[in-house]
Amino acid sequence: MSRTWRERLVARAPAWLAEKVPREHTESDEAFHRRRRVVAVTSLAGAGLLGASLRSTPDSTRFYGLTAATAATWVVGGLASGPLHLGRTRYRDTLRRPVVTPALVGVGAFGVFYGCALVCRHVPFLDRAISRVLRYADRGSTAPVLATTLLNGAAEEVFFRGALYAAAGRDRPVVASTAVYVLATTATRNPSLVLASGVMGVLFGLQRRATGGIQAPLITHLTWSVLMLRFLPPLFRRPAEPAVSPPPPGAAPRRTT
């Protein structure tokens, strides 16, 4: 029997993304159904707060309050759903916590997105969509914006690759967790964020699948987010037009030659 496209794709992926390390993650049916109920409620609440946060004024008390509430919702819902796991990766003949490889993956992902951003600048609707997101970085103070980025990135992994992935069961959890991740992001009404959530959601989900935990996708997410925050805004920054002072009352208009 010929392999499915998913099996062919996984077969071509690097070992750190394709090979599942051994893990013993079991829970009772009662605990599993409870996890699903908590995940459903948290998904709706978190998506609503996420959408509201990106409709608020950049660098405002409301913006920081809503983003903090969004992160808190993901974390509380994730932890309340049941046990979460950090995961391990194979290094030679031992299993270790993943650190270096996820960080390098985050750098690589940023490189791909940076290249795509250079193209998106010439696509009007994507240029506008990305600029709307990056204004939160441009208009905000460095420390609060960085803290918000790191807090929300980590919180998303706790919930989406932690609780939600576990709640998806054994039937295509990567697809299920990514789909909900994308649906939650649609609350922002920003096509650039929705596209990014789809691409990165698949990557994070495959890392979760391979390692059996959230540490690898969390490190990749934070690395990618920090680099995007640091290097993307200058690409979409518009130069300010010089202010033209009105002529004094009674002055003759200037003639151009």
Side-chain angles (χ1 to χ4, degrees):
M1 182 181 296
S2 60
R3 294 184 297 179
T4 65
W5 66 269
R6 291 176 61 250
E7 292 172 333
R8 291 195 297 269
L9 182 63
V10 170
R12 294 180 180 179
W16 54 266
L17 199 61
E19 294 182 5
K20 296 174 63 176
V21 299
R23 79 284 308 265
E24 289 293 337
H25 300 168
T26 59
E27 59 184 354
S28 66
D29 289 342
E30 180 182 356
F32 178 70
H33 292 305
R34 178 185 176 279
R35 187 191 292 273
R36 282 193 161 184
R37 291 194 296 271
V38 173
V39 162
V41 173
T42 305
S43 297
L44 294 175
L49 288 168
L50 177 62
S53 67
L54 289 185
R55 289 194 294 273
S56 57
T57 304
D59 201 31
S60 64
T61 302
R62 175 179 171 81
F63 168 70
Y64 292 117
L66 285 171
T67 52
T70 304
T73 300
W74 297 139
V75 171
V76 171
L79 297 178
S81 71
L84 303 179
H85 305 276
L86 292 177
R88 297 181 183 275
T89 188
R90 191 177 299 281
Y91 179 76
R92 296 179 181 176
D93 296 328
T94 62
L95 295 178
R96 297 184 178 182
R97 298 293 186 198
V99 177
V100 176
T101 298
L104 293 177
V105 172
V107 174
F110 162 73
V112 173
F113 271 77
Y114 191 87
C116 293
L118 294 174
V119 176
C120 290
R121 290 192 304 172
H122 304 288
V123 181
F125 86 96
L126 287 176
D127 179 76
R128 290 192 298 270
I130 297 173
S131 297
R132 286 200 303 272
V133 175
L134 295 179
R135 64 180 179 157
Y136 289 94
D138 259 348
R139 299 183 189 178
S141 302
T142 302
V145 170
L146 178 61
T148 296
T149 300
L150 294 176
L151 181 62
N152 279 271
E156 287 179 3
E157 294 314 307
V158 168
F159 180 71
F160 289 100
R161 260 61 62 178
L164 197 149
Y165 188 100
R170 297 181 179 180
D171 187 16
R172 299 184 179 182
V174 174
V175 175
S177 60
T178 302
V180 178
Y181 190 43
V182 172
L183 286 174
T185 309
T186 58
T188 66
R189 302 178 185 177
N190 190 296
S192 65
L193 288 179
V194 174
L195 288 172
S197 69
V199 174
M200 296 306 290
V202 171
L203 175 61
F204 298 148
L206 289 174
Q207 288 179 298
R208 168 65 171 83
R209 173 185 177 275
T211 64
I214 64 173
Q215 181 168 313
L218 190 151
I219 292 175
T220 297
H221 194 150
L222 297 186
T223 303
W224 171 74
S225 295
V226 169
L227 292 173
M228 295 282 279
L229 181 66
R230 170 63 181 84
F231 293 104
L232 234 60
L235 286 181
F236 294 87
R237 194 171 290 149
R238 299 293 184 267
E241 296 183 1
V244 178
S245 301
R254 295 179 180 178
R255 290 186 296 174
T256 58
T257 58

